[in-house]
Amino acid sequence: MKKGIVVVILYGVILFLAFLFRKPLLIWLDYSDFSQLPLMFFLAIFFAVIPVIPFTVFAGLMGVKYGVWIGATINWIGSVGAAVIFFVLARYFFVEPFQAYIARYQKVKKFDYIISQHGFIAVLFSRLIPIVPPPVINIYSGLSTMQFRIYFIATAIGQIPGMIVFAYLGNQLFSSFHSFTLGISVYAGFVIMMMVLYRFWYKLSQRKFQDVE
């Protein structure tokens, strides 16, 4: 509950600042200087790791500034880059602090067998639908025995739909409200479909897990 209030307040502050500095912000958004792309790639990773600005806000702005496909590419590199950073930190550098962090999420431990046996599918579904907070999946995967190659491929594929949607919604927000609402509806339908598939797969995995026990 407290976390939700903090998020609402943070978004409110961002919206207030955006309104306060709307003129320079609109000028910056209209000026699609591709020489700034390296900086945008860096900021995408930075905000995905340290959400000084919520990554969803940044991802939407990239869609406004550079269009859907370039914006989605920036978002994808940021999200995948952050996932790799957390994985490496959890596996090689901050094992004990991250173990203490993960211990707060008791339900995640139920994925032990599933991740060890079906790591690719587990991570893929966690990227496609908001099952578990991304930082938890990133850190937990790093602490597990999962191969980095499997983790990276599942993350790279699973992040594609969401990053395209963020860029698309940001791009359409200022141009077509109809397209904006249509995009939300399509993505909501996609998430629901993925959740149904996930629940079916998870039940099968749990049965196998019980058989192993």
Side-chain angles (χ1 to χ4, degrees):
M1 185 67 179
K2 292 181 179 180
K3 186 177 180 180
I5 295 174
V6 171
V7 170
V8 170
I9 293 175
L10 182 58
Y11 272 90
V13 171
I14 291 172
L15 288 174
F16 175 75
L17 292 175
F19 176 78
L20 196 63
F21 299 99
R22 60 189 181 281
K23 289 185 178 179
L25 178 61
L26 288 173
I27 292 173
W28 180 76
L29 289 174
D30 288 335
Y31 186 58
S32 301
D33 185 359
F34 290 100
S35 65
Q36 297 178 353
L37 280 178
L39 175 60
M40 295 302 106
F41 288 130
F42 170 78
L43 289 178
I45 297 175
F46 177 80
F47 290 135
V49 174
I50 306 174
V52 178
I53 296 176
F55 187 75
T56 51
V57 174
F58 176 84
L61 289 176
M62 291 301 97
V64 177
K65 186 173 178 63
Y66 292 108
V68 176
W69 300 112
I70 296 178
T73 302
I74 295 171
N75 299 339
W76 180 83
I77 289 176
S79 61
V80 174
V84 169
I85 289 173
F86 276 116
F87 182 94
V88 172
L89 291 177
R91 177 152 296 186
Y92 300 109
F93 295 98
F94 301 104
V95 178
E96 292 184 4
F98 281 150
Q99 284 177 336
Y101 172 78
I102 289 296
R104 295 184 296 173
Y105 297 86
Q106 296 296 327
K107 292 183 179 180
V108 180
K109 293 183 179 180
K110 295 180 180 180
F111 286 107
D112 273 329
Y113 172 76
I114 298 176
I115 283 183
S116 64
Q117 299 297 320
H118 310 284
F120 179 85
I121 299 297
V123 173
L124 180 64
F125 271 122
S126 73
R127 302 306 186 189
L128 291 173
I129 54 179
I131 306 169
V132 181
V136 177
I137 292 297
N138 298 338
I139 294 171
Y140 192 77
S141 299
L143 294 174
S144 72
T145 58
M146 182 185 300
Q147 295 181 8
F148 174 77
R149 175 175 57 85
I150 293 176
Y151 169 81
F152 178 80
I153 295 174
T155 297
I157 295 174
Q159 293 287 46
I160 292 174
M163 298 306 104
I164 293 176
V165 168
F166 287 149
Y168 174 82
L169 294 179
N171 182 263
Q172 296 299 315
L173 180 61
F174 296 100
S175 58
S176 173
F177 183 74
H178 173 74
S179 297
F180 177 80
T181 53
L182 179 62
I184 291 179
S185 300
V186 171
Y187 185 61
F190 171 79
V191 170
I192 292 172
M193 182 177 67
M194 289 297 103
M195 289 183 70
V196 171
L197 291 174
Y198 168 75
R199 288 177 65 87
F200 176 74
W201 169 79
Y202 183 74
K203 287 181 180 179
L204 289 178
S205 300
Q206 285 294 91
R207 289 175 186 173
K208 292 181 180 179
F209 177 65
Q210 292 172 357
D211 292 339
V212 171
E213 289 185 323

